[in-house]
Amino acid sequence: MKQQLESIQKKALETLETITDIRELEDFRVAYLGKKGELTRILKGMGALSPEERPLIGQLANEVRNALEEGIATTRGRLLRVAREEKIRQETLDVTMPGRAKKLGRKHPITIVLDEIKDIFLGMGYEIAEGPEVELDYFNFEALNMPKNHPARDTQDTFYITEDVLLRTHTSPVQARYMKDHKPPIRIICPGRVYRSDAVDATHSPIFHQVEGLVVDKGVTMGDLIGTLQVFAKGVFGEDTRIRLRPHHFNFTEPSAEVDVSCWGCGGTGCRICKGEGWVEILGAGMVHPNVLREGGIDPDVYSGFAFGLGIDRIAMGKFGIDDMRLLFENDIRFLRQF
Amino acid sequence: MKAPLNWLKDFVDINVGIKEYVNAMTMSGSKVEGVEDLGEGIEKVVVGRILEMEAHPNADRLKVCKVDVGSEVLQIVTGAPNVKTGDLIPLALVGAKLPGGQIKASKLRGVESYGMMCSIEELNLSRDYLPDAPEDGVYVFSEELEPGTDIKEALHLDQVVEFEITSNRPDCLSVYGLARETAATLGVPLKKPDIRVKEEAGGDASDRVSIEIENPELCPRYSARIVTDVKIEPSPYWMQHRLAAAGMRPINNIVDITNYVMLELGQPMHAFDFSCLTDSKIVVRTAREGETLKTLDGQERKLDTSMLVIADSQRPVGIAGVMGGENSEVTDQTRMLLLESANFNGASIRVTSKKLGIRSEASGRFEKGLDPENTIKALDRCAELIELLGAGKVVRGIVDCNMTRKSQDTIKLDPDRINALLGTEITAEKMMDIFRALEFEVDPNTMIMKIPSFRSDIESVADLSEEVARFYDYNNIKPSLLSGKESMRGRKSYKQRMEDVIRNTMCACGMNEAFTFSFTSPGVFDKINLPADHPLRDTVVISNPLGEDYSIMRTTTIPDMLRILSINYSRKIETARLFELSSVYHPVDGEELPEEKSVLTLGMYGEGCDFFELKGVVEELMTAMGIAGYEFKPEREEPSFHPGRTASLMVMKSDGTQLKAGILGEIHPEVAEKTECPERTCAALFEVAVLIDASSLSRKFKALPRFPAVPRDIAVVVRDEVYVADLMKAIVKAAGEILEDVSLFDVYKGSQVPEGMKSTAFALSFRSADRTLKDEEVNTAMEKILKSLEYQFDARLR
Ligand SMILES: [Zn+2]
């Protein structure tokens, strides 16, 4: 009987090696360990053994059973592994096929640039002020030191509604309004839509967008203006950006400057974007004119301030390399989805 | 302002290269727009005189010439039809460089030619610069020149610097003014002109003419000289070329001299034919009612009583500061002149020139406000040039009607305040040097400075700061960041934060942000089916629009949304989802300014875009904005929308009342057709202020459920007209507290459902926060629900 058991174990373990699927394994288990299985059958014959032999054979039979169960478990593990590998092999995807897009919408490039600018100035303690687009001549011009029939008005071809009401030509009237309602210290930016009577072409639009900044406090210097503009320029165009101020004339600031940034296309060596100059003009700025402070109810002998203004559309065009301004207002989906 | 470099050099030594000069001027505030080198690409081209001319032995059209080029006589073959013996012509020598290439000795039909006679095209010169050039053929000099003279010298081919002059600096609209800036920039002396007039004609000017100013506030000064024995002829080359280089067309010696003086000194001048001035009288007055004047451009101008004119005793002879009259124009027959050098009120000139639509070199200067002290200098320079050119004899004296206040303005230099404003530490000495270079008279003890009469822009310490800063160089100012100032908190307002929420939610829902113009055409209202008396047709109208299409401020954004959807559709783009956050403008009775309302516009067409897609986006927005208690109501009254597929969005105001926030729906098929949008285009329009008023950013945590939910379904058959929203409301009301959620999962019409009826199926979820629900509780609730639906809607369980 001992021999019988040993040969069963040997044969069974050999058979296990050849099993290749899980149903076969189940059949095997039944064949050996099932109620009518081989091992069971042999153990049923134990009654015929002598009392001395019985524990020995019993122990041996248990060992064989354990060996078979272990063999079955190992084989099951092997088969599952093989089966899983096969499944994996079969369900392998072509991962280069396109994803199932959940198409997010995109913000307009002007919004993207404006958000960046807002972030920079919010971080420096500015608030965001807003005002009407259909504006009084008074706030758009007169409060900004440009009385009626002033030649400087020519540079801002204006849409008029009536003699005293117009479409604002810059966001500066928001500053004028803000100064009337707020006492210094003032730190604001005023983003918004502005209007000039320019025909539509690749570089002009009768409607475009500006951000103006205004700071009024005791002892504000032109150095503060330059430092602030440096932070702005680096924030928008990158850390290596340099700025250059050229004297200019605006009625609402004195001294006034036009401000160039080192070209984002070439870094200053000269290219098509900067027309070989190495610099690109992006904004106008200056120290708030005493007449403007006075008109806003602020004493220019006590307070000083600076202001700056820039066109968002042109910065967006520069930043994204957009070569035709009309694209910004055409709203072709294929354009909008590039940003 | 175009300034030829050699003209500038009459008044200042420019001892640096052109590049350095241009940069220095830009950085001191005289921005250089560009430099034009008229002689660019021309080398070894000289004046040649044709000594002999013979027919070419082998070619009918060619001639063989002997040309004197000073050092030698060359044989030149030419095909030019317009030259003859004795002519002076530009000759490109062997080895010459022309814009078109290099000149070599060559054989033309067997005859050697050692150079080429040039046309202005070959020299790349414009007809504006040399108006006497023939249409076809070689340029022939009309002035006597030495053969061998370099062409650049002969034709004064200069470098021309174009400056951008800002409106506050009319003194720089002159070569002399720019020379002054140059001197201050380069730190070199300004060479003041030494003007000498011989006054060789007999008599005194004051005996010959009387001048009267009726409106001294419009004309503070009128100065004049008389010139006799006038001989009208072309002005000399050097003058013609300087005028042309500066962008003015040479006419004749007198006109050219007045223009030359204007360009040089910035004072516009005018010459009248003296014989045309009735009673030898000049009256500066406003035009009389109904007066007209034919101006020099041949146009009959209607004048009004606001316009200042120069008149004789009878009639206007010129529009002051704008343009002269034909009735007193200088012609070839003119023998005696009155030279006008006057000062006019800038605003008045500006209004007149705008009204008449005339913008001249003169009016462009006058309107910026000129220096009344300049009139005499300009007259003298004019007289000097007339004598120099032999164009006439100048009568002794100037008739000067001067009504200006004589006092010269002064200002105190306060270096501390200037440094405080700039954030610099510039010494008082350095500042005084800057002002002296700008022709301020500085008293170093009192620091009181006399402001030059041509600098009326200088009024305050801020103006002085700019003068100091621009010669110190803005870029030498040390940057700082409001150091030592009170720090401030930067933040967005609630409204601005909600606008961010709107944009972000729209993008998350697949909507792309659009930007459209705020003005539009009045024709759009018909396109979107607005009735003739619709309130949205009451608009803010632009008085000077770019055209009809851009002539009113929009009162609705729907037409623009449909227009951009249609653009995308016409470009074969299959799906478009767009939104815009922008303004509409409504006139308000009794108010000067309209009401500007911020609106959110949505639009979509294409795959998956239908009413419920749009509504889903709106529902997401409601969640994101924290708007609770909103409701969609069927909307049949919007003329642009499909009456059966449109809803109003109702939100709860803070006081609990319901308010319409906007509409959403399918565009009316007729509107879709008219706007060339695809069928089933959907759009929505909301008032942002109403949404924001109903919104909230506060969120409250609700504990997660600890007891299981009991799911149930119910399907009922109701009449078609019954709204699902009403059924759901009834279900919620009838179920009581234990109903956690109800959602629609099916609407069915067809077999087994009678005609005019629909089957609606809802999934319900019951749950209690503090216990596991018993079946009986749920059954009771379900019975109540069914009863309520049967009672209210005649519903039958399916
Ligand atoms: Zn570049």
Side-chain angles (χ1 to χ4, degrees):
Chain A
M1 202 160 186
K2 188 180 169 199
Q3 275 172 356
Q4 232 178 332
L5 281 170
E6 280 168 353
S7 90
I8 284 173
Q9 178 172 355
K10 187 159 175 276
K11 189 179 114 208
L13 291 179
E14 278 168 11
T15 311
L16 270 179
E17 299 279 319
T18 67
I19 287 177
T20 56
D21 81 44
I22 207 94
R23 217 180 46 237
E24 220 179 310
L25 183 66
E26 184 56 22
D27 291 347
F28 171 90
R29 194 187 62 76
V30 173
Y32 285 93
L33 302 177
K35 275 180 196 153
K36 289 174 184 161
E38 245 178 282
L39 193 60
T40 319
R41 193 162 37 81
I42 286 171
L43 291 177
K44 274 180 187 158
M46 287 243 298
L49 292 175
S50 67
E52 301 81 48
E53 268 183 324
R54 218 176 279 163
L56 289 174
I57 296 296
Q59 194 188 345
L60 182 63
N62 269 335
E63 279 168 19
V64 171
R65 169 180 287 270
N66 287 346
L68 289 189
E69 277 176 350
E70 197 180 308
I72 287 169
T74 310
T75 305
R76 173 170 286 118
R78 172 172 63 82
L79 290 179
L80 285 175
R81 214 162 42 243
V82 168
R84 191 178 296 122
E85 273 161 19
E86 172 61 15
K87 183 161 180 272
I88 285 173
R89 200 182 56 74
Q90 282 182 0
E91 67 193 13
T92 295
L93 298 176
D94 177 355
V95 295
T96 67
M97 277 164 57
R100 205 174 302 118
K102 289 275 172 284
K103 287 197 175 167
L104 285 179
R106 309 297 168 90
K107 285 185 185 171
H108 194 279
I110 290 173
T111 300
I112 295 172
V113 170
L114 184 55
D115 282 349
E116 267 181 48
I117 295 172
K118 283 178 183 168
D119 274 354
I120 293 167
F121 285 103
L122 286 168
M124 291 196 283
Y126 289 63
E127 291 199 2
I128 302 168
E130 291 161 310
E133 294 168 26
V134 184
E135 182 55 287
L136 295 173
D137 183 282
Y138 170 78
F139 284 113
N140 195 75
F141 287 128
E142 280 180 59
L144 299 171
N145 205 25
M146 273 184 278
K148 289 233 149 126
N149 289 317
H150 194 286
R153 289 186 173 207
D154 276 355
T155 58
Q156 307 190 356
D157 296 318
T158 310
F159 289 116
Y160 281 93
I161 307 298
T162 65
E163 204 171 308
D164 299 317
V165 179
L166 44 73
L167 302 184
R168 68 178 177 193
T169 57
H170 43 194
T171 43
S172 316
V174 183
Q175 303 178 7
R177 284 176 175 272
Y178 195 90
M179 277 191 275
K180 284 211 189 293
D181 300 340
H182 296 79
K183 293 278 144 279
I186 292 172
R187 275 186 217 182
I188 53 165
I189 54 168
C190 327
R193 190 167 265 222
V194 301
Y195 302 80
R196 304 233 179 132
S197 179
D198 273 325
V200 181
D201 66 23
T203 52
H204 294 91
S205 170
I207 295 182
F208 56 101
H209 301 79
Q210 276 191 341
V211 181
E212 301 260 336
L214 173 72
V215 170
V216 181
D217 205 340
K218 284 179 186 160
V220 175
T221 70
M222 194 149 173
D224 292 330
L225 167 63
I226 297 173
T228 302
L229 293 177
Q230 276 182 352
V231 171
F232 159 76
K234 286 175 190 291
V236 173
F237 297 104
E239 274 308 307
D240 297 333
T241 308
R242 287 161 293 126
I243 63 167
R244 177 178 87 163
L245 282 80
R246 286 179 284 101
H248 196 70
H249 173 70
F250 303 111
N251 281 66
F252 33 98
T253 51
E254 188 83 24
S256 304
E258 280 184 335
V259 183
D260 303 332
V261 294
S262 51
C263 176
W264 51 78
C266 61
T269 52
C271 70
R272 199 176 50 82
I273 294 170
C274 56
K275 299 185 185 89
E277 297 279 322
W279 297 97
V280 183
E281 183 194 327
I282 56 153
L283 56 83
M287 302 306 290
V288 182
H289 196 287
N291 291 353
V292 175
L293 288 174
R294 223 171 270 131
E295 197 64 35
I298 294 169
D299 183 352
D301 289 326
V302 179
Y303 292 99
S304 59
F306 63 74
F308 56 87
L310 55 116
I312 306 167
D313 312 57
R314 285 194 46 209
I315 291 180
M317 289 172 74
K319 229 178 132 65
F320 297 120
I322 301 166
D323 57 4
D324 191 327
M325 201 162 180
R326 287 169 288 206
L327 289 167
L328 293 173
F329 299 99
E330 209 176 61
N331 302 296
D332 188 310
I333 288 281
R334 297 164 298 183
F335 171 81
L336 296 175
R337 296 197 59 80
Q338 291 181 29
F339 306 99
Chain B
M1 172 79 199
K2 286 179 168 182
L5 204 60
N6 284 326
W7 201 345
L8 283 167
K9 285 179 177 170
D10 285 356
F11 304 107
V12 63
D13 287 328
I14 299 176
N15 47 11
V16 295
I18 186 77
K19 252 195 132 156
E20 195 181 326
Y21 172 64
V22 159
N23 187 51
M25 290 300 281
T26 296
M27 297 313 287
S28 73
S30 305
K31 187 181 178 189
V32 174
E33 304 249 286
V35 179
E36 192 188 359
D37 187 350
L38 296 173
E40 195 173 8
I42 304 175
E43 260 171 56
K44 285 188 78 176
V45 180
V46 299
V47 175
R49 185 190 300 282
I50 302 174
L51 300 177
E52 286 172 30
M53 192 149 75
E54 284 169 10
H56 192 289
N58 307 323
D60 291 348
R61 297 228 176 125
L62 297 181
K63 284 161 196 150
V64 182
C65 308
K66 294 274 182 291
V67 178
D68 176 8
V69 293
S71 52
E72 56 188 321
V73 174
L74 300 172
Q75 174 168 295
I76 306 288
V77 179
T78 181
N82 65 322
V83 290
K84 56 183 191 305
T85 306
D87 279 352
L88 288 166
I89 44 83
L91 190 82
L93 303 172
V94 171
K97 274 191 193 144
L98 292 177
Q102 202 154 3
I103 299 299
K104 293 185 200 130
S106 59
K107 228 177 219 180
L108 285 138
R109 294 284 191 102
V111 179
E112 299 279 356
S113 181
Y114 298 94
M116 184 180 83
M117 298 186 196
C118 301
S119 67
I120 61 164
E121 285 77 17
E122 280 152 342
L123 295 167
N124 198 25
L125 294 171
S126 72
R127 212 162 294 279
D128 288 338
Y129 192 76
L130 295 172
D132 60 340
E135 282 298 326
D136 183 26
V138 159
Y139 182 70
V140 179
F141 294 98
S142 51
E143 192 163 280
E144 187 54 36
L145 290 162
E146 196 62 41
T149 310
D150 189 291
I151 185 90
K152 290 193 203 179
E153 194 184 316
L155 290 178
H156 310 94
L157 300 181
D158 201 354
Q159 286 178 310
V160 184
V161 187
E162 183 163 9
F163 292 94
E164 179 196 332
I165 307 299
T166 53
S167 63
N168 60 327
R169 294 299 304 276
D171 61 307
C172 287
L173 288 170
S174 68
V175 173
Y176 185 65
L178 286 166
R180 186 189 298 120
E181 285 289 317
T182 302
T185 302
L186 300 179
V188 296
L190 178 67
K191 293 186 255 179
K192 298 187 182 176
D194 178 22
I195 302 169
R196 286 159 199 265
V197 190
K198 298 196 200 91
E199 303 185 330
E200 288 169 326
D204 259 326
S206 55
D207 296 336
R208 306 231 183 176
V209 65
S210 72
I211 295 172
E212 192 186 313
I213 300 176
E214 280 187 15
N215 306 74
E217 69 288 358
L218 299 185
C219 175
R221 189 167 198 175
Y222 195 100
S223 319
R225 271 188 180 275
I226 306 293
V227 180
T228 63
D229 302 283
V230 173
K231 207 166 70 199
I232 302 293
E233 56 186 11
S235 56
Y237 260 18
W238 65 266
M239 182 174 278
Q240 287 192 28
H241 293 152
R242 278 192 172 178
L243 290 175
M248 291 200 84
R249 202 163 57 90
I251 313 266
N252 61 43
N253 50 359
I254 297 302
V255 175
D256 289 358
I257 286 169
T258 58
N259 284 334
Y260 189 90
V261 171
M262 174 178 72
L263 291 172
E264 185 169 273
L265 299 176
Q267 170 67 47
M269 315 279 298
H270 187 68
F272 293 97
D273 185 326
F274 192 78
S275 66
C276 303
L277 300 178
T278 321
D279 299 331
S280 306
K281 207 171 169 175
I282 288 285
V283 183
V284 187
R285 58 166 173 81
T286 48
R288 315 247 188 269
E289 199 82 55
E291 270 182 338
T292 61
L293 179 68
K294 197 181 223 181
T295 42
L296 285 175
D297 55 7
Q299 301 234 25
E300 191 75 28
R301 309 283 180 174
K302 277 188 189 143
L303 307 176
D304 71 39
T305 56
S306 74
M307 296 174 180
L308 192 70
V309 297
I310 312 300
D312 57 19
S313 62
Q314 311 270 315
R315 56 184 184 150
V317 291
I319 300 167
V322 178
M323 197 175 271
E326 231 179 46
N327 56 13
S328 55
E329 187 181 2
V330 173
T331 66
D332 290 351
Q333 277 69 53
T334 301
R335 290 295 164 260
M336 192 164 162
L337 295 176
L338 179 128
L339 290 175
E340 165 193 298
S341 182
N343 189 265
F344 301 114
N345 174 290
S348 153
I349 299 296
R350 192 179 131 89
V351 170
T352 303
S353 92
K354 274 201 145 178
K355 273 188 191 164
L356 295 174
I358 310 175
R359 280 193 56 89
S360 58
E361 289 274 344
S363 72
R365 284 178 170 76
F366 278 124
E367 69 175 31
K368 294 181 177 74
L370 297 181
D371 172 15
E373 296 303 304
N374 208 14
T375 61
I376 304 296
K377 198 206 264 177
L379 263 185
D380 284 346
R381 178 66 171 145
C382 220
E384 182 184 52
L385 286 169
I386 284 172
E387 289 174 348
L388 181 74
L389 268 52
K393 288 183 178 164
V394 178
V395 175
R396 188 166 62 241
I398 291 174
V399 185
D400 184 20
C401 224
N402 186 0
M403 323 281 249
T404 50
R405 287 171 294 108
K406 267 289 169 197
S407 76
Q408 194 176 12
D409 287 332
T410 59
I411 192 165
K412 191 170 171 14
L413 178 64
D414 183 344
D416 290 343
R417 268 202 79 181
I418 292 174
N419 279 323
L421 188 66
L422 299 178
T424 51
E425 288 162 1
I426 303 166
T427 63
E429 303 309 316
K430 169 90 184 148
M431 290 190 193
M432 286 191 282
D433 284 347
I434 289 169
F435 286 108
R436 282 191 197 102
L438 293 170
E439 297 197 70
F440 285 64
E441 279 176 44
V442 187
D443 180 334
N445 300 316
T446 61
M447 295 281 207
I448 302 284
M449 306 195 295
K450 280 188 187 158
I451 302 172
S453 59
F454 51 82
R455 289 302 303 273
S456 59
D457 61 308
I458 301 289
E459 286 170 350
S460 67
V461 65
D463 301 314
L464 296 183
S465 304
E466 177 165 276
E467 298 307 294
V468 170
R470 67 193 181 95
F471 289 103
Y472 177 73
D473 191 338
Y474 283 8
N475 301 289
N476 287 333
I477 297 172
K478 223 173 93 203
S480 51
L481 266 179
L482 297 166
S483 47
K485 312 277 181 306
E486 191 185 327
S487 73
M488 294 176 74
R489 180 179 158 204
R491 61 179 151 175
K492 291 182 179 174
S493 66
Y494 180 77
K495 171 178 163 281
Q496 288 157 357
R497 288 167 70 194
M498 286 318 292
E499 285 168 353
D500 286 351
V501 169
I502 293 174
R503 282 202 177 86
N504 291 335
T505 308
M506 285 300 118
C507 288
C509 291
M511 308 295 286
N512 298 290
E513 189 180 17
F515 270 58
T516 59
F517 281 2
S518 348
F519 38 54
T520 188
S521 157
V524 297
F525 299 124
D526 291 338
K527 278 197 170 182
I528 60 163
N529 277 2
L530 288 196
D533 57 350
H534 198 281
L536 288 182
R537 287 183 183 258
D538 181 17
T539 60
V540 175
V541 180
I542 299 166
S543 67
N544 57 335
L546 281 178
E548 168 91 0
D549 283 353
Y550 299 133
S551 62
I552 57 164
M553 298 304 285
R554 62 183 173 189
T555 50
T556 166
T557 47
I558 291 292
D560 289 303
M561 180 52 76
L562 296 181
R563 183 177 51 77
I564 61 178
L565 287 172
S566 133
I567 287 176
N568 279 285
Y569 183 61
S570 72
R571 293 178 182 177
K572 308 268 183 282
I573 293 162
E574 285 174 7
T575 312
R577 296 157 156 259
L578 293 163
F579 79 97
E580 181 174 16
L581 200 52
S582 53
S583 291
V584 293
Y585 312 80
H586 299 289
V588 183
D589 270 347
E591 294 285 332
E592 254 186 314
L593 296 184
E595 186 185 11
E596 294 183 21
K597 278 188 186 167
S598 176
V599 291
L600 171 65
T601 321
L602 280 65
M604 54 170 71
Y605 72 77
E607 198 197 327
C609 295
D610 59 11
F611 175 83
F612 291 106
E613 176 72 16
L614 179 67
K615 187 175 172 186
V617 172
V618 176
E619 284 166 335
E620 266 318 283
L621 180 66
M622 296 301 105
T623 308
M625 293 182 77
I627 298 178
Y630 62 88
E631 198 180 337
F632 296 93
K633 287 193 170 163
E635 171 64 71
R636 300 177 182 280
E637 306 302 323
E638 290 289 343
S640 315
F641 284 82
H642 190 307
R645 294 184 167 214
T646 298
S648 291
L649 172 67
M650 308 301 290
V651 297
M652 205 91 85
K653 280 211 296 187
S654 33
D655 64 5
T657 55
Q658 248 194 356
L659 192 63
K660 182 169 165 178
I663 43 168
L664 62 154
E666 221 176 88
I667 290 301
H668 197 289
E670 191 186 340
V671 174
E673 192 182 304
K674 281 198 271 191
T675 53
E676 294 172 39
C677 282
E679 240 186 299
R680 304 266 176 254
T681 293
C682 289
L685 178 62
F686 303 108
E687 257 189 61
V688 173
V690 175
L691 294 179
I692 290 179
D693 184 51
S695 74
S696 164
L697 281 172
S698 75
R699 301 287 187 268
K700 269 267 155 51
F701 164 74
K702 218 172 87 189
L704 300 180
R706 287 163 50 219
F707 299 95
V710 181
R712 292 290 170 90
D713 288 350
I714 186 171
V716 291
V717 174
V718 293
R719 288 187 319 280
D720 267 348
E721 313 85 75
V722 173
Y723 293 122
V724 165
D726 292 339
L727 293 172
M728 285 169 84
K729 264 195 229 168
I731 290 171
V732 169
K733 201 168 169 220
E737 275 190 350
I738 58 170
L739 181 69
E740 180 184 51
D741 189 36
V742 54
S743 59
L744 177 78
F745 74 85
D746 190 37
V747 177
Y748 174 76
K749 294 170 73 163
S751 60
Q752 296 165 12
V753 177
E755 186 70 18
M757 307 286 274
K758 61 186 174 188
S759 161
T760 55
F762 300 91
L764 283 63
S765 169
F766 294 90
R767 197 200 297 267
S768 163
D770 52 18
R771 63 185 194 283
T772 303
L773 289 176
K774 295 193 192 98
D775 259 2
E776 303 83 77
E777 287 180 90
V778 177
N779 292 346
T780 313
M782 287 298 285
E783 274 161 32
K784 278 193 197 160
I785 289 170
L786 184 60
K787 281 233 171 68
S788 166
L789 295 181
E790 284 170 348
Y791 177 73
Q792 287 187 55
F793 304 103
D794 230 353
R796 275 188 301 104
L797 192 64
R798 182 150 181 264

